[in-house]
Coordinates of all heavy atoms in Angstrom, one line a residue:
M1 N 0.9 -1.2 0.0 CA 0.0 0.0 0.0 C 0.9 1.2 0.0 O 1.8 1.3 0.8 CB -0.9 0.0 1.2 CG -1.9 1.1 1.3 SD -3.0 1.1 2.8 CE -3.8 -0.4 2.6
N2 N 0.6 2.2 -0.9 CA 1.4 3.4 -1.0 C 1.0 4.4 0.0 O -0.1 4.2 0.7 CB 1.5 3.9 -2.4 CG 0.2 4.4 -2.9 OD1 -0.7 4.9 -2.1 ND2 0.0 4.4 -4.2
E3 N 1.7 5.5 0.1 CA 1.4 6.5 1.1 C 0.0 7.1 1.0 O -0.8 7.3 1.9 CB 2.4 7.6 1.0 CG 2.1 8.8 2.0 CD 3.1 10.0 1.8 OE1 4.0 9.9 1.0 OE2 2.8 11.0 2.5
R4 N -0.4 7.3 -0.3 CA -1.7 7.9 -0.6 C -2.8 6.9 -0.1 O -3.8 7.4 0.5 CB -1.8 8.1 -2.1 CG -3.1 8.7 -2.5 CD -3.1 9.0 -4.0 NE -4.4 9.4 -4.5 CZ -4.7 10.0 -5.6 NH1 -3.7 10.2 -6.5 NH2 -5.9 10.3 -5.9
Q5 N -2.7 5.7 -0.5 CA -3.7 4.7 -0.1 C -3.8 4.6 1.4 O -4.9 4.5 2.0 CB -3.4 3.3 -0.7 CG -3.6 3.3 -2.2 CD -3.1 2.0 -2.8 OE1 -2.1 1.5 -2.4 NE2 -3.8 1.5 -3.8
A6 N -2.7 4.6 2.1 CA -2.6 4.5 3.5 C -3.3 5.7 4.2 O -4.1 5.5 5.1 CB -1.2 4.3 4.0
Y7 N -3.0 6.8 3.6 CA -3.6 8.1 4.2 C -5.2 8.0 4.0 O -5.9 8.3 4.9 CB -3.0 9.3 3.5 CG -3.6 10.6 4.0 CD1 -3.0 11.1 5.1 CD2 -4.6 11.2 3.3 CE1 -3.5 12.4 5.6 CE2 -5.1 12.4 3.8 CZ -4.5 13.0 5.0 OH -5.0 14.2 5.5
I8 N -5.6 7.6 2.8 CA -7.0 7.6 2.6 C -7.7 6.6 3.5 O -8.8 6.8 4.0 CB -7.3 7.3 1.1 CG1 -7.0 8.5 0.2 CG2 -8.8 6.8 0.8 CD1 -7.0 8.3 -1.2
E9 N -7.1 5.4 3.7 CA -7.7 4.4 4.6 C -7.7 4.9 6.0 O -8.7 4.7 6.7 CB -6.9 3.1 4.5 CG -7.0 2.4 3.2 CD -8.5 2.0 2.9 OE1 -9.2 1.5 3.8 OE2 -8.9 2.2 1.7
K10 N -6.7 5.6 6.4 CA -6.7 6.2 7.8 C -7.8 7.2 7.9 O -8.6 7.2 8.9 CB -5.4 6.9 8.0 CG -5.3 7.6 9.3 CD -3.9 8.3 9.4 CE -3.9 9.3 10.5 NZ -2.7 10.1 10.5
M11 N -8.1 8.0 6.9 CA -9.1 9.0 7.0 C -10.5 8.4 6.9 O -11.4 8.8 7.6 CB -9.0 10.0 5.8 CG -7.7 10.9 5.9 SD -7.7 11.9 7.5 CE -6.5 11.0 8.5
K12 N -10.7 7.3 6.2 CA -11.9 6.6 6.1 C -12.2 6.0 7.5 O -13.4 6.1 8.0 CB -11.9 5.4 5.1 CG -12.0 5.9 3.7 CD -12.0 4.6 2.8 CE -12.0 4.9 1.3 NZ -11.9 3.7 0.5
A13 N -11.2 5.5 8.2 CA -11.4 4.9 9.5 C -11.8 6.0 10.5 O -12.7 5.8 11.3 CB -10.2 4.2 10.0
K14 N -11.2 7.1 10.4 CA -11.5 8.2 11.3 C -12.9 8.7 11.0 O -13.7 9.0 11.9 CB -10.5 9.4 11.1 CG -10.6 10.5 12.1 CD -10.3 9.9 13.5 CE -10.3 11.0 14.5 NZ -10.2 10.5 15.9
L15 N -13.3 8.8 9.7 CA -14.7 9.2 9.4 C -15.7 8.2 10.0 O -16.7 8.7 10.5 CB -14.8 9.3 7.9 CG -16.0 10.1 7.3 CD1 -16.1 11.5 7.9 CD2 -16.0 10.1 5.8
D16 N -15.4 7.0 9.9 CA -16.3 5.9 10.5 C -16.4 6.2 12.0 O -17.5 6.0 12.6 CB -15.8 4.5 10.2 CG -16.0 4.1 8.8 OD1 -16.8 4.8 8.0 OD2 -15.3 3.2 8.3
E17 N -15.3 6.5 12.6 CA -15.3 6.7 14.1 C -16.1 7.9 14.4 O -16.9 7.9 15.4 CB -13.8 7.0 14.5 CG -13.7 7.2 16.0 CD -12.2 7.5 16.4 OE1 -11.3 6.8 15.8 OE2 -12.0 8.4 17.2
W18 N -16.0 9.0 13.6 CA -16.8 10.2 13.8 C -18.3 9.9 13.7 O -19.1 10.4 14.4 CB -16.4 11.3 12.9 CG -15.1 12.0 13.3 CD1 -14.5 12.0 14.6 CD2 -14.2 12.6 12.5 NE1 -13.3 12.6 14.5 CE2 -13.1 13.0 13.2 CE3 -14.2 12.9 11.1 CZ2 -12.0 13.7 12.7 CZ3 -13.1 13.6 10.6 CH2 -12.0 14.0 11.4
N19 N -18.7 9.1 12.7 CA -20.1 8.7 12.5 C -20.6 8.0 13.7 O -21.7 8.3 14.2 CB -20.2 7.9 11.2 CG -20.1 8.7 10.0 OD1 -20.5 9.9 9.9 ND2 -19.6 8.1 8.9
A20 N -19.8 7.1 14.3 CA -20.2 6.4 15.5 C -20.4 7.3 16.6 O -21.3 7.2 17.4 CB -19.2 5.3 15.8
D21 N -19.4 8.3 16.8 CA -19.5 9.3 17.8 C -20.8 10.1 17.7 O -21.4 10.4 18.7 CB -18.3 10.2 17.8 CG -17.0 9.4 18.3 OD1 -17.1 8.3 18.9 OD2 -15.9 10.0 18.0
I22 N -21.1 10.5 16.5 CA -22.3 11.3 16.3 C -23.5 10.5 16.7 O -24.4 11.1 17.4 CB -22.4 11.8 14.8 CG1 -21.4 12.9 14.6 CG2 -23.8 12.3 14.5 CD1 -21.3 13.4 13.1
D23 N -23.6 9.3 16.4 CA -24.7 8.4 16.8 C -24.8 8.4 18.3 O -25.9 8.5 18.9 CB -24.5 7.0 16.3 CG -24.7 6.9 14.7 OD1 -25.2 7.9 14.1 OD2 -24.3 5.9 14.2
K24 N -23.7 8.3 19.0 CA -23.7 8.3 20.5 C -24.2 9.6 21.0 O -25.0 9.6 22.0 CB -22.3 8.0 21.0 CG -21.9 6.5 20.8 CD -20.4 6.4 21.3 CE -19.8 5.1 20.9 NZ -18.4 5.0 21.2
L25 N -23.7 10.7 20.5 CA -24.2 12.0 20.9 C -25.7 12.2 20.6 O -26.3 12.8 21.5 CB -23.3 13.1 20.3 CG -21.8 13.1 20.7 CD1 -21.1 14.2 19.8 CD2 -21.7 13.4 22.1
E26 N -26.2 11.7 19.5 CA -27.6 11.8 19.3 C -28.4 11.1 20.3 O -29.5 11.6 20.7 CB -27.9 11.3 17.9 CG -27.5 12.3 16.8 CD -27.8 11.7 15.4 OE1 -27.6 10.5 15.1 OE2 -28.2 12.6 14.5
A27 N -27.9 9.9 20.7 CA -28.6 9.2 21.7 C -28.7 10.0 23.0 O -29.7 10.0 23.7 CB -28.0 7.8 21.9
Q28 N -27.5 10.6 23.4 CA -27.4 11.4 24.6 C -28.4 12.6 24.5 O -29.1 12.9 25.5 CB -26.0 11.9 24.8 CG -25.1 11.0 25.5 CD -23.7 11.6 25.7 OE1 -22.9 11.7 24.8 NE2 -23.6 12.1 26.9
A29 N -28.5 13.2 23.4 CA -29.3 14.4 23.2 C -30.8 14.0 23.4 O -31.6 14.8 23.9 CB -29.1 15.0 21.8
K30 N -31.2 12.8 22.9 CA -32.6 12.4 23.0 C -33.0 12.2 24.5 O -34.2 12.4 24.8 CB -32.8 11.1 22.3 CG -32.8 11.3 20.8 CD -33.0 10.0 20.0 CE -32.9 10.3 18.5 NZ -33.0 9.1 17.7
S31 N -32.1 11.9 25.3 CA -32.4 11.6 26.7 C -32.2 12.9 27.6 O -32.6 12.9 28.8 CB -31.5 10.5 27.3 OG -30.1 11.0 27.4
A32 N -31.8 14.0 27.0 CA -31.7 15.3 27.7 C -33.0 16.0 27.8 O -34.0 15.7 27.2 CB -30.7 16.2 27.0
E33 N -33.1 17.0 28.7 CA -34.3 17.8 28.9 C -34.5 18.6 27.6 O -33.6 18.8 26.8 CB -34.1 18.7 30.1 CG -34.0 17.9 31.4 CD -33.9 18.9 32.6 OE1 -34.1 20.1 32.4 OE2 -33.5 18.4 33.6
A34 N -35.7 19.1 27.4 CA -36.1 19.8 26.2 C -35.2 20.9 25.8 O -34.8 21.0 24.6 CB -37.5 20.3 26.3
D35 N -34.9 21.8 26.8 CA -34.0 23.0 26.4 C -32.6 22.5 26.1 O -32.0 23.1 25.2 CB -34.0 24.0 27.5 CG -33.5 23.5 28.8 OD1 -33.6 22.3 29.1 OD2 -33.0 24.3 29.6
A36 N -32.1 21.5 26.7 CA -30.8 21.0 26.4 C -30.8 20.3 25.0 O -29.8 20.3 24.3 CB -30.3 20.0 27.5
Q37 N -31.9 19.6 24.7 CA -32.0 19.0 23.4 C -31.8 20.0 22.3 O -31.1 19.6 21.3 CB -33.4 18.3 23.2 CG -33.5 17.0 24.0 CD -34.8 16.3 23.7 OE1 -35.7 16.8 23.0 NE2 -34.9 15.1 24.2
I38 N -32.3 21.1 22.4 CA -32.2 22.2 21.4 C -30.7 22.5 21.2 O -30.2 22.6 20.1 CB -33.0 23.4 21.7 CG1 -34.5 23.1 21.6 CG2 -32.7 24.6 20.8 CD1 -35.4 24.1 22.2
R39 N -30.0 22.8 22.3 CA -28.6 23.1 22.3 C -27.8 21.9 21.7 O -26.9 22.1 20.8 CB -28.0 23.4 23.6 CG -28.5 24.8 24.2 CD -27.7 25.2 25.4 NE -27.4 24.1 26.4 CZ -28.2 23.8 27.4 NH1 -29.4 24.4 27.5 NH2 -27.9 22.8 28.2
F40 N -28.1 20.7 22.1 CA -27.4 19.5 21.6 C -27.7 19.4 20.1 O -26.8 19.0 19.3 CB -27.8 18.3 22.3 CG -27.3 18.2 23.7 CD1 -28.0 17.3 24.7 CD2 -26.3 18.9 24.2 CE1 -27.5 17.2 26.0 CE2 -25.8 18.8 25.5 CZ -26.4 18.0 26.4
Q41 N -28.9 19.6 19.7 CA -29.2 19.5 18.2 C -28.4 20.5 17.4 O -27.9 20.1 16.3 CB -30.7 19.6 18.0 CG -31.1 19.2 16.6 CD -30.7 17.8 16.2 OE1 -31.0 16.8 17.0 NE2 -30.0 17.6 15.1
Q42 N -28.2 21.7 17.9 CA -27.4 22.7 17.2 C -26.0 22.2 17.1 O -25.4 22.3 16.0 CB -27.5 24.0 17.9 CG -28.8 24.7 17.9 CD -28.9 25.9 18.7 OE1 -28.2 26.1 19.7 NE2 -29.9 26.8 18.4
Q43 N -25.5 21.6 18.1 CA -24.1 21.1 18.1 C -24.0 19.9 17.1 O -23.1 19.8 16.4 CB -23.7 20.6 19.5 CG -23.4 21.7 20.5 CD -22.2 22.5 20.0 OE1 -21.2 22.0 19.6 NE2 -22.3 23.8 20.0
L44 N -25.0 19.0 17.2 CA -25.0 17.9 16.2 C -25.1 18.3 14.8 O -24.4 17.8 13.9 CB -26.2 17.0 16.6 CG -26.0 16.1 17.8 CD1 -27.3 15.5 18.2 CD2 -24.9 15.0 17.5
D45 N -25.9 19.4 14.5 CA -26.0 19.9 13.2 C -24.7 20.4 12.7 O -24.3 20.2 11.6 CB -27.1 21.0 13.1 CG -28.5 20.4 13.3 OD1 -28.7 19.2 13.1 OD2 -29.4 21.3 13.5
H46 N -24.0 21.1 13.6 CA -22.7 21.6 13.2 C -21.7 20.5 13.0 O -20.9 20.5 12.0 CB -22.2 22.6 14.3 CG -20.8 23.1 14.1 ND1 -20.5 24.0 13.1 CD2 -19.6 22.7 14.7 CE1 -19.2 24.2 13.1 NE2 -18.6 23.5 14.0
L47 N -21.7 19.5 13.8 CA -20.9 18.3 13.6 C -21.1 17.6 12.3 O -20.2 17.2 11.6 CB -21.0 17.3 14.8 CG -20.4 17.7 16.1 CD1 -20.7 16.7 17.2 CD2 -18.8 17.7 16.0
K48 N -22.4 17.4 12.0 CA -22.8 16.7 10.8 C -22.3 17.5 9.5 O -21.8 16.9 8.6 CB -24.3 16.5 10.7 CG -24.7 15.4 11.7 CD -26.2 15.3 11.7 CE -26.7 14.3 12.7 NZ -28.2 14.1 12.7
A49 N -22.4 18.8 9.6 CA -22.0 19.7 8.5 C -20.5 19.6 8.3 O -20.0 19.5 7.2 CB -22.5 21.1 8.7
T50 N -19.8 19.6 9.4 CA -18.3 19.5 9.4 C -17.9 18.2 8.9 O -17.0 18.0 8.1 CB -17.7 19.9 10.8 OG1 -18.2 21.1 11.2 CG2 -16.2 19.9 10.7
R51 N -18.6 17.1 9.4 CA -18.3 15.8 8.9 C -18.5 15.6 7.4 O -17.8 15.0 6.7 CB -19.2 14.8 9.7 CG -18.9 13.3 9.2 CD -20.2 12.5 9.3 NE -21.4 13.0 8.8 CZ -22.6 12.8 9.2 NH1 -22.8 11.9 10.2 NH2 -23.6 13.3 8.7
D52 N -19.6 16.2 7.0 CA -20.0 16.1 5.5 C -18.9 16.8 4.7 O -18.5 16.3 3.6 CB -21.3 16.7 5.3 CG -22.5 15.9 5.8 OD1 -22.2 14.7 6.2 OD2 -23.6 16.4 5.9
D53 N -18.4 17.9 5.2 CA -17.3 18.6 4.5 C -16.0 17.7 4.5 O -15.4 17.6 3.5 CB -17.0 20.0 5.2 CG -15.9 20.7 4.4 OD1 -16.0 20.9 3.2 OD2 -14.9 21.1 5.1
A54 N -15.7 17.1 5.6 CA -14.6 16.2 5.7 C -14.7 15.0 4.7 O -13.8 14.7 4.0 CB -14.3 15.7 7.1
A55 N -15.9 14.5 4.6 CA -16.2 13.4 3.7 C -16.1 13.8 2.3 O -15.5 13.1 1.4 CB -17.6 12.8 4.0
K56 N -16.5 15.0 2.0 CA -16.4 15.6 0.6 C -14.9 15.7 0.3 O -14.4 15.4 -0.8 CB -17.0 17.0 0.5 CG -16.9 17.6 -0.8 CD -17.6 19.0 -0.8 CE -17.3 19.7 -2.1 NZ -17.0 21.1 -1.9
R57 N -14.1 16.3 1.2 CA -12.7 16.4 1.0 C -12.0 15.0 0.7 O -11.1 14.9 -0.1 CB -12.0 17.1 2.2 CG -12.5 18.5 2.5 CD -11.8 19.5 1.6 NE -12.3 20.8 2.0 CZ -11.5 21.8 2.0 NH1 -10.2 21.8 1.7 NH2 -12.0 23.0 2.3
L58 N -12.4 14.1 1.5 CA -11.9 12.7 1.3 C -12.2 12.2 -0.1 O -11.3 11.6 -0.8 CB -12.4 11.7 2.3 CG -12.0 10.3 2.2 CD1 -10.4 10.2 2.3 CD2 -12.6 9.4 3.3
R59 N -13.5 12.4 -0.6 CA -13.8 11.9 -1.9 C -13.0 12.7 -3.0 O -12.5 12.1 -3.9 CB -15.3 12.2 -2.2 CG -16.2 11.2 -1.5 CD -17.6 11.3 -1.9 NE -18.2 12.6 -1.7 CZ -18.7 13.0 -0.6 NH1 -18.8 12.2 0.5 NH2 -19.2 14.2 -0.5
E60 N -12.8 14.0 -2.8 CA -11.9 14.7 -3.7 C -10.5 14.2 -3.7 O -9.9 14.2 -4.7 CB -12.0 16.2 -3.3 CG -13.3 16.9 -3.6 CD -13.4 18.3 -3.0 OE1 -12.4 18.7 -2.2 OE2 -14.4 19.0 -3.3
L61 N -10.0 13.9 -2.5 CA -8.7 13.4 -2.4 C -8.5 12.1 -3.1 O -7.5 11.8 -3.8 CB -8.3 13.2 -0.9 CG -6.9 13.0 -0.5 CD1 -6.0 14.1 -0.9 CD2 -6.8 12.8 1.0
Q62 N -9.5 11.2 -3.0 CA -9.5 9.9 -3.7 C -9.5 10.1 -5.2 O -8.9 9.3 -5.9 CB -10.7 9.1 -3.2 CG -10.7 8.6 -1.8 CD -11.9 7.9 -1.4 OE1 -13.0 8.5 -1.5 NE2 -11.8 6.7 -0.9
D63 N -10.2 11.1 -5.7 CA -10.3 11.3 -7.1 C -9.2 12.2 -7.7 O -9.1 12.3 -8.9 CB -11.6 12.0 -7.4 CG -12.8 11.1 -7.1 OD1 -12.6 9.8 -7.0 OD2 -13.9 11.6 -6.9
A64 N -8.3 12.7 -6.8 CA -7.3 13.7 -7.3 C -6.2 12.9 -8.1 O -5.9 11.8 -7.8 CB -6.6 14.3 -6.1
S65 N -5.7 13.7 -9.0 CA -4.6 13.1 -9.8 C -3.3 13.1 -8.9 O -3.3 13.7 -7.9 CB -4.3 14.0 -11.0 OG -3.8 15.3 -10.6
A66 N -2.3 12.3 -9.4 CA -1.1 12.2 -8.6 C -0.5 13.6 -8.4 O 0.1 13.8 -7.3 CB -0.2 11.2 -9.3
D67 N -0.5 14.4 -9.4 CA 0.0 15.8 -9.3 C -0.7 16.6 -8.3 O -0.1 17.4 -7.6 CB 0.1 16.4 -10.7 CG 1.0 15.8 -11.7 OD1 1.9 15.1 -11.2 OD2 0.7 15.9 -12.9
A68 N -2.0 16.5 -8.2 CA -2.8 17.4 -7.4 C -2.9 16.8 -5.9 O -3.4 17.5 -5.0 CB -4.2 17.6 -8.0
W69 N -2.5 15.6 -5.8 CA -2.8 14.9 -4.5 C -2.2 15.6 -3.3 O -2.9 15.8 -2.3 CB -2.3 13.5 -4.5 CG -2.6 12.7 -3.3 CD1 -3.8 12.1 -3.0 CD2 -1.7 12.5 -2.2 NE1 -3.7 11.5 -1.8 CE2 -2.5 11.7 -1.2 CE3 -0.4 12.8 -1.9 CZ2 -2.0 11.3 0.0 CZ3 0.1 12.4 -0.6 CH2 -0.7 11.6 0.2
E70 N -1.0 16.0 -3.4 CA -0.3 16.7 -2.2 C -1.0 18.0 -1.8 O -1.3 18.3 -0.7 CB 1.2 16.9 -2.5 CG 1.9 17.4 -1.3 CD 1.9 16.5 -0.1 OE1 2.0 15.3 -0.3 OE2 1.7 17.0 1.1
T71 N -1.4 18.8 -2.8 CA -2.1 20.0 -2.6 C -3.5 19.7 -2.0 O -3.9 20.4 -1.0 CB -2.3 20.8 -3.9 OG1 -1.0 21.1 -4.4 CG2 -3.0 22.1 -3.6
M72 N -4.2 18.8 -2.5 CA -5.5 18.4 -2.0 C -5.4 17.8 -0.5 O -6.2 18.0 0.3 CB -6.2 17.4 -2.9 CG -6.3 18.0 -4.2 SD -7.8 17.6 -5.1 CE -9.1 17.7 -4.0
R73 N -4.3 17.1 -0.3 CA -4.1 16.6 1.0 C -4.0 17.6 2.1 O -4.5 17.5 3.2 CB -2.8 15.7 1.0 CG -2.6 15.0 2.4 CD -1.4 14.2 2.3 NE -0.5 14.5 3.4 CZ 0.5 13.8 3.8 NH1 0.8 12.7 3.1 NH2 1.3 14.1 4.7
Q74 N -3.3 18.7 1.7 CA -3.2 19.8 2.7 C -4.6 20.4 3.0 O -4.9 20.7 4.2 CB -2.3 20.9 2.1 CG -0.8 20.5 2.0 CD 0.0 21.4 1.3 OE1 -0.4 22.4 0.8 NE2 1.3 21.0 1.1
G75 N -5.5 20.5 2.0 CA -6.8 21.0 2.3 C -7.6 20.0 3.1 O -8.4 20.4 4.0
A76 N -7.4 18.8 2.9 CA -8.1 17.7 3.7 C -7.6 17.8 5.1 O -8.4 17.6 6.0 CB -7.8 16.3 3.0
E77 N -6.3 18.0 5.3 CA -5.8 18.1 6.6 C -6.5 19.2 7.4 O -6.8 19.0 8.6 CB -4.3 18.3 6.6 CG -3.4 17.2 6.2 CD -3.3 16.1 7.3 OE1 -3.4 16.4 8.5 OE2 -3.2 14.9 6.9
S78 N -6.7 20.3 6.8 CA -7.4 21.4 7.4 C -8.8 21.0 7.8 O -9.3 21.3 8.9 CB -7.4 22.6 6.5 OG -8.2 23.6 7.0
A79 N -9.5 20.3 6.9 CA -10.9 19.9 7.3 C -10.9 18.9 8.4 O -11.7 18.9 9.3 CB -11.5 19.2 6.0
W80 N -9.9 18.0 8.4 CA -9.8 17.0 9.5 C -9.5 17.6 10.9 O -10.1 17.3 11.9 CB -8.7 15.9 9.2 CG -9.1 15.1 8.0 CD1 -8.4 15.0 6.8 CD2 -10.2 14.2 7.9 NE1 -9.0 14.2 6.0 CE2 -10.1 13.6 6.6 CE3 -11.2 13.8 8.7 CZ2 -11.0 12.7 6.1 CZ3 -12.1 12.9 8.2 CH2 -12.0 12.3 7.0
E81 N -8.6 18.6 10.8 CA -8.3 19.4 12.1 C -9.5 20.1 12.6 O -9.8 20.1 13.8 CB -7.2 20.4 11.8 CG -5.8 19.7 11.6 CD -4.7 20.7 11.2 OE1 -4.9 21.9 11.3 OE2 -3.7 20.2 10.8
E82 N -10.3 20.7 11.7 CA -11.5 21.4 12.1 C -12.5 20.4 12.7 O -13.2 20.7 13.7 CB -12.2 22.1 10.9 CG -13.4 22.9 11.3 CD -14.1 23.6 10.1 OE1 -13.4 23.8 9.1 OE2 -15.2 23.9 10.2
M83 N -12.6 19.2 12.1 CA -13.6 18.2 12.6 C -13.1 17.7 14.0 O -14.0 17.6 14.8 CB -13.6 17.1 11.6 CG -14.7 16.0 11.9 SD -16.3 16.7 11.7 CE -17.3 15.4 12.2
T84 N -11.9 17.5 14.1 CA -11.4 17.0 15.4 C -11.7 18.1 16.5 O -12.1 17.7 17.6 CB -9.8 16.8 15.3 OG1 -9.6 15.8 14.3 CG2 -9.3 16.3 16.7
K85 N -11.4 19.3 16.2 CA -11.7 20.4 17.2 C -13.2 20.5 17.5 O -13.6 20.6 18.6 CB -11.2 21.7 16.6 CG -11.4 22.9 17.6 CD -11.0 24.2 17.0 CE -11.2 25.3 18.0 NZ -12.5 25.5 18.5
A86 N -14.0 20.3 16.4 CA -15.5 20.4 16.6 C -16.0 19.3 17.5 O -16.8 19.5 18.4 CB -16.2 20.4 15.2
F87 N -15.4 18.1 17.3 CA -15.8 17.0 18.2 C -15.4 17.2 19.6 O -16.1 16.9 20.5 CB -15.2 15.6 17.7 CG -16.2 14.9 16.8 CD1 -16.1 14.8 15.5 CD2 -17.2 14.2 17.4 CE1 -17.0 14.1 14.7 CE2 -18.1 13.5 16.7 CZ -18.0 13.4 15.3
K88 N -14.2 17.7 19.8 CA -13.7 17.9 21.2 C -14.6 19.0 21.9 O -15.0 18.8 23.0 CB -12.3 18.4 21.2 CG -11.3 17.3 20.9 CD -9.9 17.9 20.9 CE -8.9 16.7 20.6 NZ -7.5 17.2 20.5
D89 N -15.0 20.0 21.1 CA -15.9 21.1 21.7 C -17.2 20.5 22.0 O -17.8 20.8 23.1 CB -16.0 22.2 20.7 CG -14.7 23.0 20.6 OD1 -13.8 22.9 21.4 OD2 -14.6 23.8 19.6
A90 N -17.8 19.8 21.1 CA -19.1 19.2 21.2 C -19.2 18.2 22.4 O -20.1 18.2 23.2 CB -19.6 18.6 19.9
T91 N -18.2 17.3 22.4 CA -18.3 16.3 23.5 C -18.1 17.0 24.8 O -18.7 16.5 25.8 CB -17.2 15.2 23.3 OG1 -15.9 15.8 23.1 CG2 -17.6 14.3 22.1
G92 N -17.4 18.0 24.9 CA -17.2 18.8 26.2 C -18.6 19.4 26.6 O -18.9 19.5 27.8
R93 N -19.4 19.8 25.6 CA -20.7 20.4 25.9 C -21.7 19.3 26.3 O -22.7 19.6 27.0 CB -21.1 21.2 24.8 CG -20.3 22.5 24.6 CD -20.9 23.4 23.5 NE -20.0 24.5 23.3 CZ -19.4 24.9 22.2 NH1 -19.6 24.2 21.2 NH2 -18.6 25.9 22.2
F94 N -21.5 18.1 25.8 CA -22.5 17.1 26.1 C -22.3 16.5 27.5 O -23.2 15.7 27.9 CB -22.4 16.0 25.0 CG -23.2 16.2 23.8 CD1 -22.8 17.1 22.9 CD2 -24.4 15.5 23.6 CE1 -23.6 17.3 21.8 CE2 -25.2 15.7 22.5 CZ -24.8 16.6 21.6
K95 N -21.2 16.8 28.1 CA -21.0 16.2 29.5 C -21.7 17.0 30.5 O -22.1 18.1 30.4 CB -19.5 16.2 29.8 CG -18.8 15.2 28.9 CD -17.3 15.1 29.2 CE -16.7 14.1 28.3 NZ -15.3 14.0 28.4

């Protein structure tokens, strides 16, 4: 497996992890009181939008030519960092 394939597989695994985390947070939100559910839903909506952006970047990265791959990887790194931060912020608020 080359570096590109390994990177893409790593990002796919992380995206799967984030999807599972979102499912867990949704379950927590459903058991919260009504006013807290609204706040949680806003956080979940933001997480889902950020996750969707990260997934889009991953698809673009998979489709990128060899010449464009490194440049696209840098953009994907930015999206992954934003997603990681968003998850840390959201999980802190769900506690």
Side-chain angles (χ1 to χ4, degrees):
M1 181 178 300
N2 66 30
E3 178 186 356
R4 179 179 176 166
Q5 291 170 324
Y7 182 82
I8 288 171
E9 290 303 315
K10 176 182 164 188
M11 293 300 103
K12 283 182 183 178
K14 190 65 177 171
L15 196 56
D16 289 343
E17 182 182 319
W18 286 334
N19 286 328
D21 289 343
I22 287 174
D23 290 344
K24 289 177 191 174
L25 293 175
E26 284 180 322
Q28 278 184 277
K30 287 179 183 176
S31 67
E33 295 180 16
D35 59 334
Q37 281 184 355
I38 293 168
R39 287 193 319 272
F40 289 160
Q41 190 58 51
Q42 290 171 338
Q43 287 295 313
L44 284 166
D45 290 345
H46 176 71
L47 283 175
K48 288 176 183 179
T50 306
R51 178 212 47 209
D52 292 346
D53 183 52
K56 179 182 173 223
R57 299 278 181 140
L58 178 59
R59 285 189 301 277
E60 290 170 351
L61 192 60
Q62 289 174 306
D63 296 337
S65 68
D67 294 336
W69 184 79
E70 188 59 40
T71 301
M72 300 216 45
R73 181 177 128 167
Q74 292 170 1
E77 286 287 332
S78 175
W80 295 115
E81 288 173 15
E82 182 180 339
M83 188 67 181
T84 300
K85 183 182 179 309
F87 262 103
K88 286 180 183 176
D89 291 348
T91 54
R93 290 185 181 122
F94 271 76
K95 292 180 179 179

